[in-house]
């Protein structure tokens, strides 16, 4: 077990009480440890971006490991890994458990991957415990949830639920110009036949995702289990500022149309949406690229992304409108042209009360304190929610840190979360909703 770095309830580790079944915690931690090597860079966390070689390697590792345990593992045309029990009735509606194994650039080892490994362990455990459940437990590792390299986040869950925009997928590239369809093919999928990855209506009876919280709420309150009530909505606005490239020594300040100076004003305008103006919960410019990016040249073009999030759709819309209005005014005022492309990535999403109840009952059976809470991070569960009832379980994140190499949750809390997933799944596959 790792050093006790998460703060705790009095009396030490979360207690596991009663007769509730447990999964093999040592195995869970072992698989997590092994998969964490894939894409790891010394001192720089893990870079295992979606639809890349490392994500494929992580899938291959899991497939091999769980085939050894007698499970069936395959990658679909959208690059999702699906792990199920051998010989299960293919017509049985599925209780889908999972998350993603791709990471952001220099990310942590738990975001997504923890939920996938726990899901695989639950399916492995249920292969022994359940002979003929009402719902078939199946684990999934969705591809490219983050969209860190190919800016098409939730690619895998959109593929599995039949909601991919094929035209957009066909024209998506990474920053080096590699086309998404080519990367997908290398990763074992195929955009031409990606429709075959879509599950028919009714095939998913419910979806349950275990994840680290990625924020400070549970750690601050020493509570081991979060029961997610709702998940934030998110809009991304791709912005390009077209100025005029020129000589940094000879062009008088009064004659410049410096794209980076204007982009700086956009950055502050985005920040103000959530701070001074309180129009949305959070707003971020996470990506900014200038051209030609040379010391003695006035920048001619700058591309940046604005990302805004809120739990209420009307606030998200108000923040979108406010930013678009600012961009429309800023171009003429600065002699630049500002283009934008607005994408509503996810809408605010509520979880299903029956799946929440199953998680609460599971945590109670295990003697684990729990808290109903909001998720400020986005999750594949939001995409699946358009097709089936969804639930989410959180465990604490040390200091609330995620999307960073320092991301950490103590081993005993990781095992407690996976046990909660197991016990909730046991209730659900037995149709105790
Ligand atoms: O960005 C998010 O909220 C998620 O981690 N993909
Ligand atoms: Mn993430
Ligand atoms: Mn995640």
């Amino acid at each position: 077990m790792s050093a006790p770095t998460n703060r705790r309830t009095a009396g030490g580790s979360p207690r596991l009480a009663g007769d509730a079944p447990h999964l093999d915690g040592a195995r869970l931690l072992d698989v997590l440890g092994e998969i964490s090597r894939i894409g790891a860079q010394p001192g720089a966390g893990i870079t295992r971006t979606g639809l890349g070689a490392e994500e494929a390697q992580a899938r291959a590792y899991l497939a091999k490991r769980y085939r050894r345990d007698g499970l069936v593992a395959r990658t679909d045309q959208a690059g999702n890994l699906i792990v199920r029990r051998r010989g299960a009735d293919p017509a049985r509606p599925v209780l889908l458990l999972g998350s993603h194994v791709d990471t952001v650039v220099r990310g942590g080892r738990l975001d997504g991957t923890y939920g996938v490994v726990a899901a695989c362990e639950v399916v492995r455990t249920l292969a022994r415990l359940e002979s003929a459940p009402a719902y078939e437990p199946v684990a999934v590792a969705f591809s490219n949830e983050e969209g860190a390299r190919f800016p098409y986040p939730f690619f895998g869950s959109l593929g599995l639920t039949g909601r991919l925009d094929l035209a957009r997928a066909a024209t998506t590239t990474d920053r080096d110009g590699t086309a998404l369809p080519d990367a997908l093919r290398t990763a074992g999928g195929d955009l031409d036949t990606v429709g075959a990855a879509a599950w028919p209506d009714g095939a998913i009876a419910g979806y349950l995702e275990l994840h680290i919280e990625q924020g400070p709420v549970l750690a601050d309150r020493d509570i081991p289990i979060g029961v997610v009530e709702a998940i934030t909505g998110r809009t991304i606005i791709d912005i390009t500022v077209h100025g005029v490239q020129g000589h940094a020594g000879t062009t008088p300040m009064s004659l410049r149309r410096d794209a980076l100076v204007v982009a700086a004003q956009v950055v502050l305008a985005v920040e103000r949406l959530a701070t001074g103006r309180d129009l949305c919960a959070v707003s971020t410019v996470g990506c900014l690229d200038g051209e030609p990016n040379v010391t003695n040249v006035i920048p001619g073009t700058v591309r940046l992304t604005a990302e805004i999030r809120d739990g209420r759709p009307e606030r998200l819309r108000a923040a979108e409108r406010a930013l678009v209005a600012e961009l429309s005014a800023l171009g003429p005022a600065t002699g630049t042209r500002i283009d934008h492309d607005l994408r509503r990535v996810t809408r605010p999403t509520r979880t299903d009360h029956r799946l929440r109840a199953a998680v609460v009952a599971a945590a109670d059976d295990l003697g684990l304190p729990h808290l109903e809470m909001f998720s400020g991070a986005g999750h594949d569960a939001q995409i699946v929610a358009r097709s089936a009832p969804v639930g989410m379980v959180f465990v604490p994140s040390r200091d609330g840190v995620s999307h960073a190499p320092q991301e950490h949750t103590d081993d005993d809390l990781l095992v407690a979360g996976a046990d909660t997933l197991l016990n909730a799944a046991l209730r659900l596959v037995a149709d105790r909703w």
Side-chain angles (χ1 to χ4, degrees):
M1 295 278 165
S2 69
T5 38
N6 287 82
R7 278 187 277 157
R8 292 289 168 40
T9 41
S13 306
R15 281 164 49 79
L16 301 177
D19 293 323
H22 297 260
L23 46 67
D24 184 339
R27 250 194 72 114
L28 172 89
L29 300 174
D30 179 52
V31 177
L32 260 176
E34 295 218 333
I35 200 170
S36 299
R37 297 199 199 129
I38 303 170
Q41 292 163 350
I46 298 177
T47 299
R48 196 162 63 220
T49 52
L51 307 179
E54 292 82 7
E55 188 199 40
Q57 219 180 312
R59 269 199 307 275
Y61 164 75
L62 290 173
K64 189 170 172 198
R65 178 120 195 186
Y66 288 99
R67 278 183 196 133
R68 275 211 310 261
D69 292 314
L71 300 178
V72 179
R74 71 176 174 93
T75 297
D76 71 12
Q77 291 87 337
N80 300 311
L81 176 72
I82 318 275
V83 178
R84 46 168 78 224
R85 304 185 310 163
R86 186 175 298 283
D89 177 0
R92 188 178 291 144
V94 163
L95 174 71
L96 194 60
L97 309 168
S99 192
H100 58 98
V101 290
D102 65 311
T103 69
V104 294
V105 173
R106 297 180 175 219
R109 69 186 189 101
L110 299 173
D111 175 0
T113 305
Y114 165 52
V116 169
V117 174
C120 291
E121 286 297 317
V122 167
V123 172
R124 190 183 74 88
T125 306
L126 292 183
R128 288 203 316 271
L129 294 179
E130 289 286 332
S131 47
Y135 302 110
E136 182 61 31
V138 173
V140 61
F142 288 120
S143 67
N144 197 37
E145 187 267 355
E146 303 282 6
R149 176 177 161 206
F150 289 98
Y152 202 148
F154 302 110
F155 186 85
S157 44
L158 287 165
L160 190 135
T161 54
R163 289 191 165 76
L164 277 175
D165 175 342
L166 294 183
R168 191 181 143 211
T171 54
T172 298
T173 64
D174 70 4
R175 287 198 218 175
D176 299 326
T178 303
L180 183 151
D182 294 339
L184 178 61
R185 208 165 298 117
T186 312
D190 185 1
L191 195 63
D192 292 337
T193 57
V194 80
W199 290 21
D201 284 349
I204 306 174
Y207 173 71
L208 194 54
E209 179 166 351
L210 171 65
H211 207 282
I212 54 167
E213 180 200 327
Q214 309 182 272
V217 175
L218 293 172
D220 278 356
R221 296 177 65 169
D222 299 328
I223 295 177
I225 298 296
V227 184
V228 177
E229 283 188 286
I231 309 170
T232 188
R234 172 156 65 131
T235 296
I236 295 175
I237 307 176
D238 293 316
I239 301 166
T240 308
V241 182
H242 301 275
V244 176
Q245 183 175 331
H247 196 294
T250 59
T251 314
M253 298 306 281
S254 60
L255 295 185
R256 296 183 181 205
R257 284 186 275 161
D258 183 328
L260 187 52
V261 169
V262 177
Q265 296 176 57
V266 175
V267 172
L268 295 176
V270 171
E271 191 200 26
R272 267 196 310 273
L273 293 174
T275 54
R277 304 179 70 180
D278 189 26
L279 292 171
C280 54
V282 288
S283 52
T284 308
V285 173
C287 185
L288 187 147
D289 263 327
E291 283 173 20
N293 210 22
V294 171
T295 310
N296 58 351
V297 180
I298 299 164
T301 307
V302 173
R303 292 187 183 80
L304 64 161
T305 56
E307 201 225 45
I308 55 185
R309 303 191 188 208
D310 201 273
R312 289 183 19 213
E314 63 279 9
R315 276 173 56 83
L316 207 48
R317 297 293 166 264
E320 289 168 5
R321 280 195 301 273
L323 182 59
V324 169
E326 282 208 58
L327 297 177
S328 306
L330 191 58
T334 56
T336 59
R337 194 180 91 234
I338 305 181
D339 297 333
H340 73 271
D341 178 23
L342 186 148
R343 279 182 285 139
R344 296 192 173 126
V345 179
T346 45
R347 53 184 84 162
T349 305
R350 280 191 68 75
T351 55
D352 184 87
H353 66 97
R354 293 161 300 174
L355 277 89
R356 283 203 301 277
V359 174
V360 166
D364 284 341
D365 287 350
L366 291 160
L368 295 167
H370 47 82
L371 179 73
E372 297 228 340
M373 61 184 299
F374 177 75
S375 173
H379 297 287
D380 289 303
Q382 285 172 280
I383 306 300
V384 182
R386 297 191 221 161
S387 300
V390 304
M392 285 200 74
V393 188
F394 276 176
V395 294
S397 291
R398 184 179 62 191
D399 300 327
V401 173
S402 185
H403 282 188
Q406 296 78 15
E407 182 183 274
H408 176 83
T409 300
D410 281 356
D411 287 351
D412 52 355
L413 292 168
L414 293 174
V415 173
D419 276 333
T420 304
L421 184 72
L422 170 67
N423 281 272
L426 264 171
R427 287 175 172 273
L428 294 167
V429 297
D431 206 13
R432 287 159 62 203
W433 293 49

